[in-house]
Amino acid sequence: MAHLLFLAGITVFVPVFLGLRRIAVVRGGKRLAVEVAAWAGLLGSAAVAVQAVIDLAVGFVAADEQAMSDLFGRVQDVPGVMPLVYTVVPMLFWFGLLGLVTLLAFFRRDLVRAWAPVAVLAGTVLMAMSLDLLPAGALCIGLALIPVRQGLPH
């Protein structure tokens, strides 16, 4: 159940990244920076979603913990899977989110408060420290994004 909620949660960030990208309304190099951050976040979201789907599939087909361990081992032994799904690319979600919120704190001060990047960073650090801190980290990120909602089209 937790993995299904996690998959739903990460999927919710697709419109968040697209909405933040849309409200940037900047040009030139600033636009490029916004695009890079948004697409990095989206790519990271996709990797995290694939990770959750793999976890769900392995849990569904494995008969016991040993079978799960064996299946995970086989999946992770496929060349490229570890960096693409488990280590490097998923980090782009966090870098993209932090980068995009930071850029918008400079470019759209009317919508993104100066403290928002600090809240996103705090939330990210809390979640990285312990799974027990996921709710506190999510609260930090949610608080950072609440003021942005007013700038999004309804």
Side-chain angles (χ1 to χ4, degrees):
M1 183 62 158
H3 279 81
L4 286 174
L5 292 172
F6 183 65
L7 182 58
I10 203 70
T11 303
V12 167
F13 273 91
V14 171
V16 169
F17 281 115
L18 295 174
L20 292 173
R21 177 179 162 259
R22 190 176 323 116
I23 65 169
V25 293
V26 290
R27 300 193 192 293
K30 291 177 181 178
R31 184 79 215 166
L32 178 62
V34 166
E35 292 292 330
V36 167
W39 287 103
L42 289 166
L43 183 60
S45 296
V48 172
V50 169
Q51 188 180 124
V53 169
I54 290 171
D55 289 356
L56 286 165
V58 166
F60 183 74
V61 301
D64 56 26
E65 285 191 38
Q66 182 59 48
M68 283 178 69
S69 180
D70 293 344
L71 280 171
F72 277 125
R74 287 196 304 207
V75 168
Q76 293 172 355
D77 285 344
V78 173
V81 166
M82 285 304 289
L84 289 173
V85 178
Y86 289 98
T87 57
V88 178
V89 177
M91 294 301 294
L92 294 176
F93 171 83
W94 302 106
F95 290 126
L97 182 62
L98 180 59
L100 196 51
V101 170
T102 300
L103 289 167
L104 290 173
F106 285 104
F107 304 152
R108 289 301 308 267
R109 292 183 187 143
D110 58 322
L111 296 177
V112 180
R113 307 297 181 254
W115 54 264
V118 175
V120 170
L121 180 60
T124 302
V125 169
L126 286 170
M127 289 187 223
M129 287 173 45
S130 168
L131 292 178
D132 293 335
L133 296 175
L134 283 175
L139 181 64
C140 289
I141 292 170
L143 289 173
L145 296 175
I146 285 174
V148 177
R149 229 179 108 67
Q150 67 186 350
L152 296 174
H154 301 293

